[in-house]
Coordinates of all heavy atoms in Angstrom, one line a residue:
M1 N -21.4 -9.3 -43.2 CA -20.2 -9.5 -44.1 C -20.9 -9.6 -45.6 O -22.1 -10.2 -45.7 CB -19.4 -10.7 -43.8 CG -18.6 -10.4 -42.5 SD -17.5 -11.8 -42.1 CE -18.7 -12.8 -41.3
G2 N -20.1 -9.4 -46.6 CA -20.4 -9.7 -47.9 C -21.7 -9.0 -48.3 O -22.0 -7.9 -48.0
D3 N -22.5 -9.8 -49.1 CA -23.8 -9.2 -49.6 C -24.7 -8.8 -48.5 O -25.4 -7.9 -48.5 CB -24.6 -10.4 -50.3 CG -24.0 -10.7 -51.7 OD1 -23.0 -10.0 -52.1 OD2 -24.6 -11.4 -52.4
A4 N -24.7 -9.6 -47.3 CA -25.6 -9.2 -46.1 C -25.2 -7.7 -45.6 O -26.1 -7.2 -45.1 CB -25.5 -10.2 -45.0
A5 N -24.1 -7.5 -45.8 CA -23.6 -6.0 -45.3 C -23.7 -5.0 -46.4 O -23.2 -3.9 -46.2 CB -22.1 -6.2 -44.7
G6 N -24.1 -5.4 -47.6 CA -24.3 -4.4 -48.7 C -23.0 -4.0 -49.3 O -22.8 -2.9 -49.7
L7 N -22.1 -5.0 -49.5 CA -20.8 -4.7 -49.9 C -20.6 -5.0 -51.4 O -19.4 -5.1 -51.9 CB -19.8 -5.5 -49.1 CG -19.8 -5.1 -47.6 CD1 -18.7 -5.8 -46.8 CD2 -19.6 -3.6 -47.4
V8 N -21.6 -5.2 -52.1 CA -21.4 -5.5 -53.7 C -21.1 -4.2 -54.3 O -21.6 -3.1 -54.0 CB -22.8 -6.0 -54.3 CG1 -22.7 -6.1 -55.7 CG2 -23.1 -7.4 -53.7
D9 N -20.1 -4.2 -55.2 CA -19.7 -3.1 -55.9 C -20.7 -2.9 -57.1 O -20.9 -3.6 -58.1 CB -18.3 -3.6 -56.6 CG -17.8 -2.7 -57.8 OD1 -18.6 -1.8 -58.2 OD2 -16.7 -2.8 -58.2
A10 N -21.4 -1.7 -56.9 CA -22.4 -1.3 -57.9 C -21.9 -1.1 -59.3 O -22.7 -1.1 -60.2 CB -23.2 -0.2 -57.3
L11 N -20.7 -0.7 -59.5 CA -20.2 -0.4 -60.8 C -20.0 -1.7 -61.6 O -20.4 -1.8 -62.8 CB -18.9 0.3 -60.6 CG -18.3 0.9 -61.9 CD1 -19.2 2.0 -62.6 CD2 -16.9 1.5 -61.6
L12 N -19.4 -2.7 -61.0 CA -19.1 -3.9 -61.8 C -19.9 -5.1 -61.4 O -19.9 -6.2 -62.1 CB -17.6 -4.3 -61.6 CG -16.6 -3.3 -62.0 CD1 -15.1 -3.7 -61.7 CD2 -16.7 -3.0 -63.5
G13 N -20.6 -4.9 -60.3 CA -21.5 -6.1 -59.8 C -20.7 -7.1 -59.1 O -21.2 -8.3 -59.0
E14 N -19.5 -6.9 -58.8 CA -18.7 -7.9 -58.0 C -19.0 -8.0 -56.6 O -19.0 -6.8 -56.0 CB -17.2 -7.6 -58.2 CG -16.8 -7.8 -59.7 CD -15.3 -8.0 -59.9 OE1 -14.5 -7.5 -59.0 OE2 -14.9 -8.5 -60.9
G15 N -19.1 -9.0 -55.9 CA -19.3 -9.0 -54.5 C -18.4 -10.0 -53.8 O -18.3 -10.1 -52.7
I16 N -17.7 -10.9 -54.7 CA -16.8 -12.0 -54.0 C -15.6 -11.2 -53.3 O -15.3 -11.5 -52.1 CB -16.4 -12.9 -55.1 CG1 -17.5 -13.7 -55.6 CG2 -15.3 -13.8 -54.5 CD1 -17.2 -14.5 -57.0
Y17 N -15.0 -10.2 -54.0 CA -13.9 -9.5 -53.3 C -14.1 -9.0 -52.0 O -13.4 -9.2 -51.0 CB -13.3 -8.6 -54.3 CG -12.0 -7.9 -53.9 CD1 -10.8 -8.5 -53.9 CD2 -12.1 -6.5 -53.4 CE1 -9.7 -7.9 -53.3 CE2 -10.9 -5.9 -53.0 CZ -9.7 -6.5 -53.0 OH -8.7 -5.9 -52.6
N18 N -15.2 -8.1 -51.9 CA -15.5 -7.5 -50.7 C -16.1 -8.5 -49.7 O -15.9 -8.3 -48.5 CB -16.6 -6.4 -50.9 CG -15.9 -5.2 -51.5 OD1 -14.7 -5.1 -51.3 ND2 -16.6 -4.3 -52.1
A19 N -16.7 -9.6 -50.1 CA -17.2 -10.7 -49.2 C -16.0 -11.3 -48.5 O -15.9 -11.4 -47.3 CB -18.0 -11.8 -49.9
I20 N -14.9 -11.4 -49.3 CA -13.6 -12.1 -48.7 C -12.9 -11.1 -47.8 O -12.5 -11.4 -46.6 CB -12.7 -12.5 -49.9 CG1 -13.3 -13.8 -50.5 CG2 -11.3 -12.9 -49.3 CD1 -12.7 -14.3 -51.8
R21 N -12.8 -9.8 -48.3 CA -12.2 -8.7 -47.5 C -13.0 -8.6 -46.2 O -12.3 -8.4 -45.2 CB -12.4 -7.5 -48.2 CG -11.2 -7.0 -49.1 CD -11.5 -5.8 -49.8 NE -10.9 -4.6 -49.1 CZ -11.2 -3.3 -49.5 NH1 -12.1 -3.0 -50.4 NH2 -10.6 -2.3 -48.8
S22 N -14.3 -8.6 -46.1 CA -15.1 -8.4 -44.9 C -14.8 -9.6 -44.0 O -14.8 -9.5 -42.7 CB -16.6 -8.0 -45.2 OG -17.2 -9.1 -45.9
G23 N -14.7 -10.8 -44.6 CA -14.5 -12.1 -43.8 C -13.1 -11.9 -43.1 O -13.0 -12.2 -42.0
Q24 N -12.1 -11.4 -43.9 CA -10.8 -11.3 -43.4 C -10.8 -10.2 -42.2 O -10.0 -10.3 -41.3 CB -9.7 -10.9 -44.5 CG -9.5 -12.0 -45.4 CD -8.8 -11.6 -46.7 OE1 -8.8 -10.4 -47.1 NE2 -8.0 -12.5 -47.2
A25 N -11.5 -9.2 -42.5 CA -11.6 -8.1 -41.5 C -12.3 -8.6 -40.2 O -11.8 -8.2 -39.0 CB -12.5 -7.0 -42.0
A26 N -13.2 -9.4 -40.3 CA -13.8 -10.1 -39.1 C -12.8 -10.9 -38.4 O -12.6 -10.9 -37.1 CB -15.1 -10.8 -39.4
A27 N -12.1 -11.8 -39.1 CA -11.1 -12.7 -38.6 C -10.0 -11.9 -37.8 O -9.5 -12.3 -36.7 CB -10.5 -13.6 -39.7
A28 N -9.5 -10.8 -38.5 CA -8.5 -10.0 -37.9 C -8.9 -9.4 -36.6 O -8.2 -9.3 -35.6 CB -8.0 -9.0 -38.9
A29 N -10.2 -8.9 -36.6 CA -10.7 -8.3 -35.4 C -10.8 -9.2 -34.2 O -10.4 -8.8 -33.1 CB -12.0 -7.7 -35.7
I30 N -11.3 -10.5 -34.6 CA -11.3 -11.5 -33.6 C -10.0 -11.8 -33.0 O -9.7 -12.0 -31.8 CB -12.1 -12.7 -34.1 CG1 -13.5 -12.4 -34.2 CG2 -12.0 -13.9 -33.0 CD1 -14.4 -13.4 -35.2
R31 N -9.0 -12.0 -33.9 CA -7.6 -12.3 -33.6 C -7.1 -11.2 -32.6 O -6.4 -11.5 -31.7 CB -6.8 -12.5 -34.8 CG -5.2 -12.8 -34.5 CD -4.3 -12.4 -35.6 NE -4.7 -10.8 -35.9 CZ -4.3 -10.2 -37.0 NH1 -4.0 -10.9 -38.1 NH2 -4.5 -9.0 -37.2
D32 N -7.3 -9.9 -33.0 CA -6.8 -8.8 -32.2 C -7.4 -8.9 -30.7 O -6.7 -8.6 -29.8 CB -7.1 -7.5 -32.9 CG -6.2 -7.2 -34.0 OD1 -5.2 -8.0 -34.2 OD2 -6.4 -6.1 -34.7
E33 N -8.6 -9.3 -30.6 CA -9.1 -9.3 -29.3 C -8.6 -10.4 -28.5 O -8.2 -10.3 -27.3 CB -10.7 -9.5 -29.4 CG -11.4 -9.7 -28.0 CD -12.7 -9.3 -27.8 OE1 -13.2 -8.4 -28.6 OE2 -13.4 -9.8 -27.0
L34 N -8.4 -11.6 -29.2 CA -8.0 -12.9 -28.5 C -6.5 -12.6 -28.1 O -6.0 -13.1 -26.9 CB -8.1 -14.1 -29.3 CG -9.6 -14.5 -29.5 CD1 -9.6 -15.7 -30.6 CD2 -10.3 -14.9 -28.3
E35 N -5.7 -12.2 -29.1 CA -4.2 -12.0 -28.8 C -3.8 -10.8 -28.0 O -2.8 -10.8 -27.4 CB -3.5 -12.0 -30.2 CG -3.7 -13.5 -30.8 CD -2.8 -13.6 -32.1 OE1 -2.2 -12.6 -32.4 OE2 -2.9 -14.7 -32.7
H36 N -4.5 -9.6 -28.2 CA -4.1 -8.3 -27.7 C -5.2 -7.7 -26.9 O -4.9 -6.5 -26.4 CB -3.7 -7.4 -28.8 CG -2.7 -8.0 -29.8 ND1 -1.5 -8.3 -29.4 CD2 -2.9 -8.4 -31.1 CE1 -0.8 -8.8 -30.5 NE2 -1.7 -8.9 -31.4
G37 N -6.3 -8.2 -26.6 CA -7.4 -7.7 -25.8 C -8.1 -6.4 -26.5 O -8.7 -5.7 -25.7
L38 N -7.9 -6.3 -27.7 CA -8.5 -5.2 -28.4 C -9.9 -5.6 -28.7 O -10.2 -6.6 -29.3 CB -7.9 -4.7 -29.6 CG -6.3 -4.3 -29.4 CD1 -5.6 -4.2 -30.8 CD2 -6.2 -3.0 -28.6
A39 N -10.9 -4.6 -28.5 CA -12.4 -4.9 -28.8 C -12.6 -5.2 -30.2 O -12.3 -4.5 -31.1 CB -13.2 -3.7 -28.4
A40 N -13.0 -6.6 -30.4 CA -13.3 -7.0 -31.7 C -14.4 -6.2 -32.6 O -14.2 -5.9 -33.8 CB -13.8 -8.5 -31.7
A41 N -15.4 -5.8 -31.9 CA -16.4 -5.0 -32.6 C -16.0 -3.7 -33.1 O -16.2 -3.4 -34.2 CB -17.6 -4.7 -31.6
A42 N -15.0 -3.0 -32.3 CA -14.5 -1.7 -32.8 C -13.5 -1.9 -33.9 O -13.5 -1.2 -34.9 CB -13.8 -1.1 -31.6
G43 N -12.8 -3.0 -33.8 CA -11.8 -3.4 -34.8 C -12.4 -3.7 -36.1 O -11.9 -3.3 -37.2
Y44 N -13.5 -4.4 -36.1 CA -14.3 -4.8 -37.2 C -14.9 -3.5 -37.8 O -14.9 -3.4 -39.1 CB -15.3 -5.8 -37.0 CG -16.2 -6.3 -38.1 CD1 -15.5 -6.9 -39.2 CD2 -17.6 -6.0 -38.2 CE1 -16.2 -7.2 -40.4 CE2 -18.3 -6.3 -39.4 CZ -17.6 -7.0 -40.4 OH -18.3 -7.3 -41.5
A45 N -15.4 -2.7 -37.1 CA -16.1 -1.4 -37.5 C -15.2 -0.7 -38.3 O -15.4 0.0 -39.4 CB -16.8 -0.7 -36.5
R46 N -13.9 -0.5 -37.8 CA -12.8 0.3 -38.4 C -12.5 -0.1 -39.8 O -12.4 0.5 -40.7 CB -11.6 0.4 -37.4 CG -10.5 1.2 -38.0 CD -9.5 1.4 -36.9 NE -9.1 0.3 -36.2 CZ -8.3 -0.8 -36.6 NH1 -7.9 -0.6 -37.8 NH2 -8.0 -1.8 -35.8
R47 N -12.3 -1.6 -39.7 CA -11.9 -2.1 -41.0 C -13.1 -2.2 -42.0 O -12.8 -2.0 -43.3 CB -11.5 -3.7 -40.7 CG -10.2 -3.8 -40.0 CD -9.8 -5.2 -39.7 NE -8.5 -5.4 -39.1 CZ -8.4 -5.4 -37.8 NH1 -9.2 -5.2 -37.0 NH2 -7.1 -5.5 -37.3
L48 N -14.3 -2.3 -41.5 CA -15.4 -2.4 -42.5 C -15.6 -1.0 -43.0 O -16.0 -0.8 -44.2 CB -16.6 -2.6 -41.6 CG -18.0 -2.9 -42.5 CD1 -17.8 -4.1 -43.5 CD2 -19.2 -3.1 -41.5
A49 N -15.3 0.1 -42.2 CA -15.4 1.4 -42.8 C -14.6 1.7 -44.0 O -15.1 2.3 -44.9 CB -15.1 2.5 -41.7
E50 N -13.5 1.1 -44.1 CA -12.6 1.1 -45.2 C -13.2 0.6 -46.5 O -13.2 1.2 -47.5 CB -11.3 0.4 -45.1 CG -10.3 1.2 -44.2 CD -9.0 0.4 -43.9 OE1 -8.6 -0.4 -44.8 OE2 -8.4 0.6 -42.9
I51 N -13.9 -0.6 -46.3 CA -14.5 -1.3 -47.4 C -15.7 -0.5 -47.8 O -16.1 -0.3 -49.1 CB -14.9 -2.8 -47.0 CG1 -13.7 -3.4 -46.5 CG2 -15.7 -3.4 -48.1 CD1 -14.0 -4.9 -46.0
Q52 N -16.5 0.0 -46.8 CA -17.7 0.9 -47.1 C -17.4 2.0 -47.9 O -18.2 2.4 -48.8 CB -18.5 1.1 -45.8 CG -19.1 -0.1 -45.3 CD -19.7 0.2 -43.8 OE1 -19.1 0.9 -43.0 NE2 -20.9 -0.4 -43.5
N53 N -16.3 2.6 -47.6 CA -15.8 3.8 -48.4 C -15.7 3.6 -49.8 O -16.0 4.3 -50.8 CB -14.5 4.4 -47.8 CG -14.7 5.2 -46.4 OD1 -15.8 5.6 -46.2 ND2 -13.7 5.4 -45.8
D54 N -15.0 2.5 -50.0 CA -14.8 2.0 -51.4 C -16.1 1.7 -52.1 O -16.3 2.0 -53.3 CB -13.9 0.8 -51.5 CG -13.3 0.5 -52.8 OD1 -12.7 1.5 -53.4 OD2 -13.4 -0.5 -53.4
V55 N -17.0 0.9 -51.4 CA -18.3 0.6 -51.9 C -19.1 1.9 -52.3 O -19.7 2.0 -53.4 CB -19.1 -0.2 -50.9 CG1 -20.6 -0.3 -51.4 CG2 -18.4 -1.6 -50.8
A56 N -19.0 2.9 -51.5 CA -19.7 4.2 -51.7 C -19.2 5.0 -52.9 O -19.9 5.5 -53.7 CB -19.5 5.1 -50.5
A57 N -17.8 4.8 -53.1 CA -17.2 5.5 -54.3 C -17.6 4.7 -55.5 O -17.9 5.3 -56.5 CB -15.7 5.3 -54.1
C58 N -17.8 3.4 -55.5 CA -18.2 2.6 -56.6 C -19.6 3.0 -56.9 O -20.1 3.1 -58.1 CB -18.1 1.1 -56.3 SG -16.6 0.4 -56.3
Y59 N -20.5 3.1 -55.8 CA -21.8 3.6 -56.1 C -22.0 4.9 -56.8 O -22.7 5.0 -57.8 CB -22.6 3.6 -54.7 CG -24.1 3.9 -55.0 CD1 -25.1 2.9 -55.4 CD2 -24.6 5.3 -54.6 CE1 -26.3 3.3 -55.5 CE2 -25.8 5.5 -54.8 CZ -26.7 4.6 -55.3 OH -28.1 4.9 -55.5
R60 N -21.2 5.8 -56.3 CA -21.3 7.1 -57.0 C -20.9 7.1 -58.4 O -21.5 7.7 -59.3 CB -20.4 8.2 -56.2 CG -20.9 8.6 -54.8 CD -20.1 9.7 -54.3 NE -18.7 9.4 -54.0 CZ -18.3 8.9 -52.9 NH1 -19.1 8.6 -51.9 NH2 -17.1 8.6 -52.6
A61 N -19.8 6.4 -58.7 CA -19.4 6.2 -60.0 C -20.4 5.5 -60.9 O -20.7 5.8 -62.0 CB -18.1 5.3 -60.2
A62 N -21.1 4.4 -60.3 CA -22.1 3.7 -61.0 C -23.4 4.5 -61.4 O -23.9 4.4 -62.4 CB -22.6 2.5 -60.1
V63 N -23.6 5.5 -60.5 CA -24.8 6.4 -60.8 C -24.4 7.1 -62.0 O -25.3 7.4 -62.9 CB -25.1 7.3 -59.4 CG1 -26.1 8.4 -59.9 CG2 -25.7 6.4 -58.3
K64 N -23.3 7.8 -61.9 CA -22.8 8.6 -63.1 C -22.8 7.7 -64.4 O -23.3 8.1 -65.5 CB -21.4 9.2 -62.8 CG -21.4 10.4 -61.9 CD -20.0 11.0 -62.0 CE -20.0 12.0 -60.8 NZ -18.5 12.0 -60.2
F65 N -22.2 6.6 -64.2 CA -21.9 5.7 -65.4 C -23.2 5.2 -66.1 O -23.5 5.3 -67.3 CB -21.1 4.5 -65.0 CG -20.7 3.7 -66.2 CD1 -19.5 4.1 -66.8 CD2 -21.2 2.6 -66.5 CE1 -19.1 3.3 -67.9 CE2 -20.8 1.7 -67.5 CZ -19.8 2.1 -68.2
Y66 N -24.2 4.7 -65.1 CA -25.4 4.1 -65.8 C -26.6 5.1 -66.0 O -27.5 4.8 -66.8 CB -25.8 2.9 -64.8 CG -24.8 1.8 -64.8 CD1 -24.1 1.5 -63.6 CD2 -24.6 1.1 -66.0 CE1 -23.2 0.4 -63.6 CE2 -23.7 0.0 -65.9 CZ -23.0 -0.3 -64.8 OH -22.0 -1.3 -64.7
N67 N -26.5 6.1 -65.2 CA -27.7 7.1 -65.4 C -27.5 7.9 -66.8 O -28.5 8.4 -67.2 CB -27.7 8.0 -64.3 CG -28.5 7.6 -63.1 OD1 -29.0 6.4 -63.3 ND2 -28.8 8.3 -62.0
N68 N -26.3 8.1 -67.2 CA -26.2 8.8 -68.5 C -25.2 7.9 -69.4 O -23.9 8.1 -69.2 CB -25.5 10.2 -68.2 CG -25.4 11.0 -69.4 OD1 -25.4 10.6 -70.5 ND2 -25.6 12.4 -69.2
L69 N -25.9 7.2 -70.4 CA -25.0 6.4 -71.2 C -23.9 7.1 -72.1 O -22.9 6.6 -72.4 CB -26.0 5.7 -72.1 CG -26.7 4.6 -71.3 CD1 -27.7 3.8 -72.3 CD2 -25.9 3.6 -70.5
D70 N -24.2 8.4 -72.4 CA -23.2 9.2 -73.1 C -22.0 9.4 -72.2 O -21.0 9.3 -72.7 CB -23.8 10.5 -73.6 CG -24.9 10.5 -74.7 OD1 -24.8 9.3 -75.3 OD2 -25.7 11.2 -74.8
V71 N -22.2 9.7 -71.0 CA -21.1 10.0 -70.0 C -20.4 8.5 -69.9 O -19.1 8.5 -69.8 CB -21.7 10.5 -68.7 CG1 -20.5 10.5 -67.6 CG2 -22.1 11.9 -68.8
G72 N -21.2 7.5 -69.6 CA -20.5 6.2 -69.4 C -19.7 5.8 -70.6 O -18.6 5.2 -70.5
Y73 N -20.3 6.0 -71.8 CA -19.6 5.6 -73.0 C -18.3 6.4 -73.1 O -17.2 5.9 -73.6 CB -20.5 5.8 -74.2 CG -19.8 5.3 -75.6 CD1 -19.7 3.9 -75.7 CD2 -19.5 6.1 -76.4 CE1 -19.1 3.4 -76.9 CE2 -18.9 5.7 -77.7 CZ -18.7 4.4 -77.9 OH -18.0 4.0 -79.0
A74 N -18.4 7.8 -73.0 CA -17.2 8.6 -73.0 C -16.1 8.1 -72.0 O -15.0 8.1 -72.4 CB -17.6 10.1 -72.8
A75 N -16.5 7.8 -70.9 CA -15.5 7.3 -69.9 C -14.9 5.9 -70.4 O -13.7 5.8 -70.3 CB -16.3 7.1 -68.6
L76 N -15.6 5.1 -70.9 CA -15.1 3.9 -71.4 C -14.1 4.1 -72.6 O -13.1 3.4 -72.7 CB -16.1 2.9 -71.9 CG -16.9 2.0 -71.0 CD1 -17.9 1.2 -71.7 CD2 -15.9 1.2 -70.2
M77 N -14.3 5.1 -73.4 CA -13.6 5.4 -74.6 C -12.3 6.3 -74.2 O -11.4 6.5 -75.0 CB -14.4 6.0 -75.7 CG -15.5 5.2 -76.2 SD -15.1 3.5 -76.6 CE -14.0 3.9 -78.1
S78 N -12.4 6.9 -73.0 CA -11.3 7.7 -72.6 C -10.0 6.9 -72.5 O -10.1 5.9 -71.5 CB -11.6 8.5 -71.4 OG -10.4 8.8 -70.7
P79 N -8.9 7.1 -73.2 CA -7.7 6.2 -73.0 C -7.2 6.3 -71.6 O -6.7 5.3 -71.0 CB -6.6 6.9 -73.9 CG -7.6 7.7 -74.9 CD -8.7 8.1 -74.2
V80 N -7.2 7.5 -70.9 CA -6.8 7.6 -69.5 C -7.5 6.8 -68.6 O -6.9 6.0 -67.8 CB -6.8 9.1 -69.1 CG1 -6.4 9.2 -67.7 CG2 -6.0 9.9 -70.0
I81 N -8.8 6.9 -68.6 CA -9.6 6.1 -67.7 C -9.5 4.5 -68.0 O -9.4 3.8 -67.1 CB -11.1 6.5 -67.8 CG1 -11.2 7.9 -67.3 CG2 -12.0 5.5 -67.1 CD1 -12.7 8.6 -67.4
R82 N -9.5 4.2 -69.3 CA -9.5 2.8 -69.6 C -8.1 2.2 -69.2 O -8.1 1.1 -68.6 CB -9.8 2.7 -71.1 CG -10.2 1.4 -71.5 CD -10.6 1.2 -73.0 NE -9.5 1.7 -73.9 CZ -9.6 2.4 -75.0 NH1 -10.8 2.7 -75.4 NH2 -8.7 2.7 -75.7
R83 N -7.1 2.8 -69.4 CA -5.8 2.4 -69.0 C -5.6 2.2 -67.6 O -5.2 1.1 -67.0 CB -4.7 3.3 -69.6 CG -3.3 2.6 -69.6 CD -2.1 3.4 -70.3 NE -2.6 4.0 -71.5 CZ -2.6 5.3 -71.7 NH1 -2.1 6.1 -70.7 NH2 -2.8 5.8 -72.8
A84 N -6.1 3.3 -66.8 CA -6.0 3.3 -65.3 C -6.9 2.0 -64.8 O -6.4 1.3 -64.0 CB -6.6 4.5 -64.7
A85 N -8.1 2.0 -65.3 CA -8.9 0.9 -64.9 C -8.3 -0.5 -65.1 O -8.3 -1.4 -64.3 CB -10.3 0.9 -65.5
M86 N -7.9 -0.8 -66.4 CA -7.3 -2.1 -66.6 C -6.1 -2.3 -65.8 O -6.0 -3.5 -65.3 CB -6.9 -2.0 -68.2 CG -8.0 -1.9 -69.1 SD -8.9 -3.3 -69.2 CE -8.0 -4.4 -70.4
K87 N -5.2 -1.3 -65.7 CA -4.0 -1.6 -65.0 C -4.4 -1.8 -63.4 O -3.9 -2.8 -62.8 CB -3.1 -0.4 -64.9 CG -2.2 -0.4 -66.2 CD -1.2 0.8 -66.1 CE 0.2 0.3 -66.4 NZ 1.2 1.5 -66.4
G88 N -5.2 -0.9 -62.9 CA -5.6 -1.1 -61.5 C -6.2 -2.3 -61.1 O -5.8 -3.1 -60.2
Y89 N -7.3 -2.7 -61.9 CA -8.0 -3.9 -61.6 C -7.1 -5.1 -61.9 O -7.2 -6.2 -61.1 CB -9.3 -4.1 -62.4 CG -10.3 -3.2 -61.8 CD1 -11.0 -2.3 -62.6 CD2 -10.7 -3.3 -60.6 CE1 -12.1 -1.4 -62.1 CE2 -11.8 -2.5 -60.0 CZ -12.4 -1.7 -60.8 OH -13.4 -0.8 -60.3
A90 N -6.2 -5.1 -62.8 CA -5.3 -6.2 -63.0 C -4.4 -6.5 -62.0 O -4.0 -7.8 -61.7 CB -4.5 -5.9 -64.4
V91 N -3.8 -5.5 -61.2 CA -3.0 -5.8 -60.1 C -3.8 -5.9 -58.8 O -3.0 -6.0 -57.7 CB -1.9 -4.7 -60.0 CG1 -1.0 -4.7 -61.2 CG2 -2.3 -3.3 -59.8
G92 N -5.1 -5.9 -58.8 CA -5.8 -6.1 -57.7 C -6.1 -4.9 -56.7 O -6.4 -5.0 -55.5
L93 N -5.9 -3.6 -57.4 CA -6.3 -2.5 -56.6 C -7.8 -2.3 -56.4 O -8.5 -2.8 -57.4 CB -5.7 -1.2 -57.3 CG -4.3 -1.2 -57.5 CD1 -3.9 0.2 -58.1 CD2 -3.5 -1.3 -56.2
T94 N -8.3 -1.6 -55.4 CA -9.7 -1.4 -55.3 C -10.0 -0.2 -56.2 O -9.1 0.5 -56.7 CB -10.0 -1.0 -53.8 OG1 -9.3 0.3 -53.5 CG2 -9.7 -2.0 -52.8
F95 N -11.2 0.0 -56.3 CA -11.8 1.2 -57.1 C -11.2 2.5 -56.6 O -10.6 3.3 -57.4 CB -13.3 1.3 -57.1 CG -13.8 2.5 -57.9 CD1 -13.7 2.5 -59.3 CD2 -14.3 3.5 -57.3 CE1 -14.2 3.5 -60.0 CE2 -14.6 4.7 -58.1 CZ -14.7 4.6 -59.4
S96 N -11.2 2.8 -55.4 CA -10.6 4.0 -54.8 C -9.2 4.1 -55.0 O -8.6 5.2 -55.3 CB -10.9 4.1 -53.3 OG -12.2 3.9 -53.0
E97 N -8.5 3.0 -54.9 CA -7.0 3.0 -55.1 C -6.7 3.3 -56.5 O -5.7 4.0 -56.9 CB -6.3 1.7 -54.6 CG -6.3 1.4 -53.1 CD -6.0 0.1 -52.8 OE1 -6.2 -1.0 -53.6 OE2 -5.7 -0.1 -51.6
T98 N -7.4 2.7 -57.4 CA -7.2 2.8 -58.9 C -7.4 4.3 -59.3 O -6.7 4.9 -60.1 CB -8.2 2.0 -59.7 OG1 -7.9 0.7 -59.4 CG2 -8.0 2.2 -61.2
R99 N -8.5 5.0 -58.7 CA -8.8 6.3 -59.1 C -7.7 7.2 -58.6 O -7.5 8.2 -59.2 CB -10.1 6.6 -58.2 CG -11.1 7.4 -59.1 CD -12.4 7.7 -58.5 NE -12.2 7.9 -57.0 CZ -13.2 8.4 -56.3 NH1 -14.3 8.7 -56.8 NH2 -13.1 8.6 -55.1
K100 N -7.1 7.0 -57.5 CA -6.0 7.9 -57.0 C -4.8 7.9 -58.0 O -4.1 8.7 -58.1 CB -5.5 7.4 -55.6 CG -6.3 7.9 -54.5 CD -5.8 7.4 -53.1 CE -6.8 7.3 -52.2 NZ -6.6 6.4 -51.0
Ligands
LIG1 C1 -25.6 -14.9 -61.1 C2 -24.6 -14.2 -60.2 C3 -23.3 -14.0 -60.9 C4 -22.4 -13.3 -60.1 N1 -21.1 -13.1 -60.6 C5 -20.1 -12.6 -59.9 C6 -18.9 -12.4 -60.4 O1 -18.5 -12.8 -61.5 N2 -18.0 -11.8 -59.7 C7 -18.2 -11.4 -58.3 O2 -17.4 -10.8 -57.7 N3 -19.4 -11.5 -57.9 C8 -20.4 -12.2 -58.6 N4 -21.7 -12.3 -58.0 C9 -22.0 -11.9 -56.6 C10 -21.3 -12.9 -55.7 O3 -21.8 -14.2 -55.9 C11 -21.7 -12.4 -54.2 O4 -21.4 -11.0 -54.0 C12 -21.0 -13.3 -53.2 O5 -21.3 -14.5 -53.4 C13 -21.4 -12.8 -51.8 O6 -20.8 -13.6 -50.9 P1 -21.5 -13.9 -49.4 O7 -20.6 -14.7 -48.6 O8 -21.7 -12.4 -48.8 O9 -22.9 -14.4 -49.7 P2 -23.3 -15.8 -50.2 O10 -22.2 -16.3 -51.2 O11 -24.7 -15.8 -50.7 O12 -23.2 -16.8 -49.0 C14 -24.2 -16.7 -48.0 C15 -24.4 -18.2 -47.6 O13 -25.2 -18.1 -46.3 C16 -26.2 -19.2 -46.4 N5 -27.3 -18.9 -45.6 C17 -28.2 -17.8 -45.7 N6 -29.1 -17.9 -44.7 C18 -28.7 -18.8 -43.8 C19 -29.1 -19.1 -42.6 N7 -30.1 -18.7 -42.0 N8 -28.3 -20.1 -42.0 C20 -27.2 -20.8 -42.5 N9 -26.8 -20.4 -43.8 C21 -27.5 -19.4 -44.5 C22 -26.5 -19.2 -47.9 O14 -27.1 -20.5 -48.2 C23 -25.2 -19.1 -48.5 O15 -24.4 -20.3 -48.8 C24 -22.7 -12.9 -58.7 C25 -24.0 -13.2 -58.2 C26 -24.9 -13.9 -58.9 C27 -26.2 -14.1 -58.3

């Protein structure tokens, strides 16, 4: 979970959100096994995959953003991207949700 599972967001350097999300995923998977007999390991892997997809999207964006400062600066200055990012992160959306 968290840092140990490589869930830091490479774009913003944030790790707390995904550490909590992955902890909640583990707790939900254990609950599902105890209450419904569903395999906890499979449940955790399915939930973790959602977080990993978002981490991968952040990583791809970070590579583009930090590898070429002109591109990164242009993205920051773009009203469309800036507004979407501000609004998305302000209401607690993930990077992938904000991008959609
Ligand atoms: C300087 C700095 C600033 C940061 N700022 C931000 C920020 O603004 N926003 C943000 O989202 N993220 C930030 N992060 C990242 C964030 O702190 C981490 O991503 C997050 O704390 C990861 O949580 P975690 O539970 O995975 O790991 P941790 O918080 O590292 O918790 C792991 C715990 O396990 C313990 N432990 C390790 N080995 C053992 C063992 N063998 N037995 C028992 N216990 C053990 C450790 O002592 C530790 O308490 C920052 C990180 C740093 C270093």
Side-chain angles (χ1 to χ4, degrees):
M1 291 182 278
D3 283 6
L7 300 179
V8 174
D9 163 353
L11 187 60
L12 301 178
E14 290 196 340
I16 296 172
Y17 181 71
N18 282 339
I20 292 171
R21 264 178 97 192
S22 59
Q24 290 173 331
I30 292 167
R31 181 206 56 208
D32 281 353
E33 176 152 336
L34 293 176
E35 292 182 0
H36 307 292
L38 302 169
Y44 179 63
R46 180 171 44 76
R47 291 175 172 90
L48 186 64
E50 283 177 31
I51 303 171
Q52 287 170 324
N53 285 340
D54 197 54
V55 169
C58 287
Y59 179 77
R60 288 191 295 275
V63 168
K64 281 188 194 151
F65 188 82
Y66 294 112
N67 272 2
N68 185 332
L69 292 180
D70 290 336
V71 171
Y73 184 71
L76 277 181
M77 297 312 290
S78 154
V80 174
I81 293 176
R82 205 171 53 213
R83 197 173 316 118
M86 294 288 281
K87 275 184 135 179
Y89 283 124
V91 297
L93 299 181
T94 64
F95 177 73
S96 303
E97 289 165 342
T98 298
R99 224 176 34 165
K100 281 181 200 154

